[in-house]
Each structure stands twice: as C-alpha cells, then as structure tokens.
Amino acid sequence: MENIDKKVITRFAPSPTGFMHIGNVRTAIYDWACAKKNNGTFILRIEDTDKAREVEGSIEHIIKSLKWLGLNWNEGPDIGGPNAPYKQSERLESYLKYAKILIDKGFAYADPYTEEEVEIMRKKAEEEKRPFLYRDHRPENPPIWDGTKPLRFKVKDIKSYEWDDLVRGHLKAGHEALDDFILIKSDGYPTYNFAHIIDDLEMGVTHILRGDEFIASTPKFLSVYDALEIKRPEFVILPPIMGTDGRKKMGKRDGAKDVLEYQKEGYLPEAMINYLALIGWSPVDEKEIFSPKELIELFDINNIHISGGKYNDEKLDWVNKEHIKRLPSDVLEKYVFEWLPVELQNKKIIPLIVERISKFGDIKIMLEGGELDFFYKDPIYTKDKLIYKTTTPKQTLKNLEEAKGALVMTEESEFTKENIKAILMELSDKLENRGQLLHPMRFAFSGLDKSPDPFILSEILGKSETIHRLDNAISLLNE
Ligand code: GLU
C-alpha cells in the first residue's frame, strides 16, 4: 500500500441519522482493517451537523453496533484522543478558524440573498434555459459575514479537476461540477463538504474510504484543499452493495436492516465482518472464511473491487455456519445455551443443534417446531408411524426386539454413536432394507418425521432412556 512511510490514519464518520446498516458497517470494517493492517489509527467521528436529520439515540446505537462487531477505535467521542472532540457539533471553532482563513484569502463570502430572491434568480435561469449557478450571482459588495447568513465558498478556478483514486484510478470532472457551495449554514453549523475536510486535516487522516456517491462532489472538495493549500488525503471509493438481484443499490426498502438485528437473530459478529468484507473486496488467495484477525493480515486496499457486490442472505448464512463450526466448545456452549430453556441445556444436544442451524436464532425455530421436545419428553405417535413402507407390524416388532436385545448388552460407557451404529448396521444389513430397522428406531426416539439418525439420538438419550423408548414402541406394536 502507498504511504508506508507515513502512519496510516482512517476514520469512520457516520452521521447520526438512524441505525447502522450493512453499507455503513462495511465501510467501518474497511477503515478498521486498513488502519490495523498498517499499525495505524482508526478514528470514530460523528458527523452531526445536520440537526434536522438527526435521530435521537443514533450515536449510542452506532457505538453499540461497532462494539458488538469488535471494531475497536483508537480515538472517538467516547474515549477521546489527541484531536478531541470527535463530534462535529463540538468542533465549531475549528470550522470558524478555517472559514476566516478562506474569507481573508478571498475564497468565501456572506450570501446576502433571501430565499425569495434566490427563487426569482432560479426562475429566470429556468426561463432562459441555463443552469442556475450561485457563482453567476456573486454580490459585488458582500456584507461582512456575521454568522447570520450562509457563508459561501468562492470557486475562483473554474476548471476541470483530475485526481487519483486508489480503487478507481485516474478520475476527472469538468468545471460544471463547481459552484459556490455553502461552507457554513445560517444556523452556524458547517456543511459536510467543508467540515469533513477540516476534520480530516486536523486529525491527520491519510485515507478516506467512502461510497461512490461522493465522486460527483470531489471537485468541490479539491477546490477547498487548493484554496487552503493543504495536501489531499488518499481517496478510496468503495464499490456499492447491490441488492440480491444485483440491479440496484441495496437500500432500506430492499432489506438493508439495522446491524443489531443480525445480533438479535443470532449471527456471530466475526461472521458478519467476514461476510461483509467480501462484498466488494477479496483476498489474493480467494480465501472465503477468515477471522477478524486474519482479515487484518489479508486486507489490502489494492484488492477492493471497482464494481458493486451483491448482498446475499444465503451466503451470509453459510459464512455464519462455518464460523459456528469453528467456535471453541465452551464458547459454542455459551451461545447455544442462551437460546435454550434450562431443561434442554445439555452438552450432548449441541452437535445435533449445530448440524441443523446456520444462526443461533434457528434454535428458536427448532424449539417452536417441537424438534427438540424428544430430548426431555417421551414422543407421542401412532403405531402406523413406526412401520416402514411395506414392512408389517410383526416384522417391525421383531426388528426392534432384536435391536433392544443387542443394545441392552452394550455397556453404558460404550454407548456411543459409533458403537451403536456398528451394532445397528450389522442387524439392519441382514434385512431386505435397512430402513426396516432404522426408521422405527429413529421414530421411537424422536417421534418426528424428520430427525437425526437413530445412532446420534440414542447417544444423546443415553442407554436407559433409549431402552425405555424402545420398550414404548414394542408395547405399542404389541397392542
Ligand atoms: N457523514 C458521512 C455519511 O454518513 C460520511 C461520509 C465520509 O465518510 O466522508 O455519509
């Protein structure tokens, strides 16, 4: 990566206008990975200058989301840092300082017009079929800026801008993108266009990672960097996240939901990081499953994709399942037990659950479907359920009695799924069809049309309960 001689500083700069959706989270992941990879600094900055759009509680929500994911920042509103404060609404003095520099250099002026006056100018431009530009209406003698009027930037150099983006390469935009935009609004707050530049400067940000919706405004940003004679950071445009059909950017209406919803549904934070990192970036070796720590090692801005990546729930579920499989047993137990009633909190049941879920919330569905009831209560079923295809009740009874005889002889300590499988396979191999024995056994244990195999079920139930359930089935067949 470029800039290896200089400390890498990235910032995640959300506006507190609602929850964090996967698009915001992915930007945060890349910012975090980029900083950590280079032993740099990752800053959390809150861009709260649009008071009308602010949603109460969003800052806490953003912090909670990032903490759940484990994307730890080195500087931020909650922990401070050398460039505090980290909320734009508390940094107004900085913006004022640079606004004054721009005024002194002749790069900013107080906008004297009322809304009505602007409306008249706009209408006239429309009638004359030309675009309405503020720069065509610069006041000859602007009033002294006292903060009650918007402060506008004065673009002196109406020219084409060119810049390099670390992902998109060489980019250009014509002068039509330039106009006298607002630096500070009449409410005293700066615009994004101005504030982020000042913050990035003061915080020493070296790499700005953001979405492609910012490309069009880049000439504006460049004109401010030039006016202040400051160095531009590296620009890194991230590819959009497309909806599952790949046609348009994923929005709230297409299911872009609050990242904390994923927590509620029982996804693992490390799986979210893994999956979201892969929408728009891939490691050189195409590795698909990695821990956050491995992501830091693998991450490279040069491998960020140019074109958009599709969001896909099924792939997320697959990645999540892979992470579940890799959890150390004590951690796995903790997660699983959180979703189970006390009577089911038994280690033996864990492998069976893990095999059937892709996120912990699926346990709830298993419970609701009665899939785990067999574990703590005798299944209730009718005789016919025990009979496999064309087998007779008599034959089924004989098979179950034989199996019982063999299992009774098995030592308690030998009652493992492997041993049970060996015993039952030997018996069922003698039959026309294995199902003639394995089906009634499975059913006698679980009472379910779909369930794991009888070997695993009997290991989970243990010897005495297994025999007890076989006895129940035998009595039913004897009726
Ligand atoms: N506050 C901006 C937003 O939430 C951040 C853009 C940037 O990263 O510069 O869209």
Side-chain angles (χ1 to χ4, degrees):
M1 191 191 302
E2 278 85 329
N3 273 314
I4 29 176
D5 50 334
K6 192 168 143 200
K7 186 172 170 161
V8 169
I9 301 179
T10 61
R11 70 353 184 233
F12 175 55
S15 303
T17 52
F19 59 74
M20 291 253 289
H21 60 73
I22 51 170
N24 310 129
V25 174
R26 191 197 55 175
T27 304
I29 294 170
Y30 291 170
D31 277 318
W32 171 84
C34 177
K36 301 285 159 181
K37 162 95 188 193
N38 296 286
N39 294 318
T41 299
F42 172 47
I43 300 174
L44 172 62
R45 181 172 80 216
I46 303 294
E47 303 206 324
D48 58 343
T49 57
D50 191 346
K51 290 294 161 190
R53 286 182 61 226
E54 199 162 320
V55 174
E56 218 194 297
S58 322
I59 300 181
E60 294 71 22
H61 205 87
I62 289 166
I63 290 184
K64 201 171 159 204
S65 305
L66 294 172
K67 284 202 169 155
W68 173 58
L69 293 159
L71 301 174
N72 300 329
W73 47 102
N74 307 94
E75 299 173 23
D78 54 335
I79 51 171
N83 299 297
Y86 292 92
K87 268 190 213 166
Q88 288 187 327
S89 60
E90 295 168 7
R91 301 179 57 79
L92 302 184
E93 274 170 35
S94 291
Y95 313 128
L96 220 47
K97 178 177 138 196
Y98 286 92
K100 289 205 174 115
I101 296 177
L102 288 174
I103 296 172
D104 290 348
K105 287 178 146 214
F107 274 106
Y109 63 92
D111 176 345
Y113 303 115
T114 60
E115 269 176 44
E116 293 74 31
E117 285 168 325
V118 173
E119 204 36 48
I120 295 169
M121 296 189 276
R122 213 183 273 281
K123 278 227 173 85
K124 191 154 181 277
E126 209 174 290
E127 280 161 21
E128 291 168 11
K129 298 200 172 14
R130 55 175 171 83
F132 170 73
L133 291 168
Y134 280 91
R135 60 173 151 92
D136 293 338
H137 302 276
R138 282 179 191 151
E140 264 174 47
N141 291 305
I144 289 181
W145 185 59
D146 62 0
T148 60
K149 291 275 180 192
L151 183 70
R152 276 189 192 272
F153 184 71
K154 184 173 175 181
V155 235
K156 288 196 191 164
D157 244 353
I158 311 292
K159 61 171 190 185
S160 271
Y161 271 93
E162 300 196 10
W163 69 98
D164 288 311
D165 182 277
L166 293 186
V167 172
R168 302 279 176 120
H170 197 68
L171 296 174
K172 276 188 213 169
H175 63 269
E176 59 288 346
L178 289 170
D179 194 14
D180 291 356
F181 58 92
I182 296 181
L183 298 167
I184 298 192
K185 298 173 279 179
S186 53
D187 65 4
Y189 287 102
T191 53
Y192 167 79
N193 292 339
F194 181 47
H196 85 276
I197 293 178
I198 305 309
D199 293 337
D200 289 340
L201 171 72
E202 293 196 331
M203 296 176 185
V205 169
T206 57
H207 293 71
I208 300 181
L209 284 66
R210 60 187 158 195
D212 58 1
E213 64 273 26
F214 290 98
I215 296 180
S217 317
T218 303
K220 282 185 199 161
F221 310 152
L222 297 177
S223 59
V224 176
Y225 289 114
D226 288 355
L228 287 171
E229 295 174 81
I230 54 176
K231 196 176 165 287
R232 321 165 171 177
E234 297 288 355
F235 295 128
V236 184
I237 290 293
L238 304 178
I241 298 184
M242 313 299 279
T244 311
D245 67 2
R247 288 217 220 113
K248 59 177 172 48
K249 269 197 200 184
M250 186 153 173
K252 288 184 186 170
R253 245 178 285 151
D254 320 283
K257 57 186 180 190
D258 182 350
V259 67
L260 290 177
E261 283 297 314
Y262 291 91
Q263 180 191 28
K264 286 195 201 125
E265 289 169 25
Y267 286 92
L268 291 168
E270 57 270 39
M272 292 303 296
I273 292 182
N274 181 160
Y275 174 64
L276 293 178
L278 287 174
I279 312 181
W281 167 86
S282 39
V284 201
D285 62 1
E286 302 285 325
K287 194 176 166 122
E288 288 206 287
I289 301 296
F290 39 78
S291 66
K293 208 167 147 247
E294 286 169 314
L295 170 63
I296 293 173
E297 280 156 30
L298 294 166
F299 192 76
D300 188 341
I301 282 181
N302 293 315
N303 300 328
I304 293 178
H305 307 162
I306 293 179
S307 55
K310 280 188 234 168
Y311 172 84
N312 182 318
D313 274 321
E314 281 156 29
K315 174 101 188 256
L316 168 64
D317 282 3
W318 175 76
V319 170
N320 199 60
K321 194 175 176 81
E322 291 301 310
H323 279 271
I324 291 180
K325 287 192 212 155
R326 285 162 173 76
L327 286 175
S329 56
D330 55 330
V331 180
L332 177 64
E333 181 180 312
K334 211 170 139 271
Y335 272 116
V336 172
F337 284 6
E338 267 171 37
W339 292 83
L340 289 177
V342 214
E343 64 272 26
L344 284 177
Q345 291 181 7
N346 186 308
K347 278 188 202 244
K348 284 187 178 175
I349 210 169
I350 296 177
L352 183 146
I353 290 177
V354 167
E355 193 184 300
R356 298 164 82 79
I357 60 167
S358 52
K359 51 189 177 295
F360 294 111
D362 293 344
I363 297 177
K364 202 167 153 230
I365 299 165
M366 288 180 82
L367 289 170
E368 283 164 3
E371 283 184 61
L372 296 169
D373 289 359
F374 78 91
F375 186 72
Y376 62 103
K377 55 183 181 205
D378 280 348
I380 298 166
Y381 50 88
T382 49
K383 199 195 259 190
D384 57 305
K385 287 282 192 183
L386 291 170
I387 321 293
Y388 181 72
K389 290 187 181 162
T390 55
T391 335
T392 62
K394 213 173 142 211
Q395 174 73 44
T396 308
L397 179 62
K398 186 171 168 279
N399 294 348
L400 288 184
E401 275 173 340
E402 261 180 31
K404 180 190 161 188
L407 292 179
V408 165
M409 301 297 289
T410 312
E411 290 287 326
E412 189 89 51
S413 59
E414 303 281 294
F415 216 77
T416 61
K417 57 178 185 296
E418 292 77 17
N419 289 341
I420 298 165
K421 185 171 183 177
I423 294 167
L424 297 183
M425 282 304 193
E426 199 186 321
L427 289 176
S428 60
D429 276 346
K430 292 185 204 142
L431 303 170
E432 215 176 286
N433 188 312
R434 281 183 178 157
Q436 292 175 338
L437 171 64
L438 303 184
H439 169 80
M441 293 205 73
R442 199 182 62 63
F443 215 92
F445 298 151
S446 69
L448 296 170
D449 287 320
K450 270 193 200 149
S451 81
D453 63 51
F455 328 119
I456 183 162
L457 290 176
S458 33
E459 182 189 274
I460 291 171
L461 293 169
K463 183 172 168 182
S464 66
E465 189 60 26
T466 298
I467 305 297
H468 165 71
R469 291 193 188 188
L470 281 176
D471 280 339
N472 284 350
I474 290 168
S475 327
L476 189 64
L477 288 166
N478 271 324
E479 269 170 22

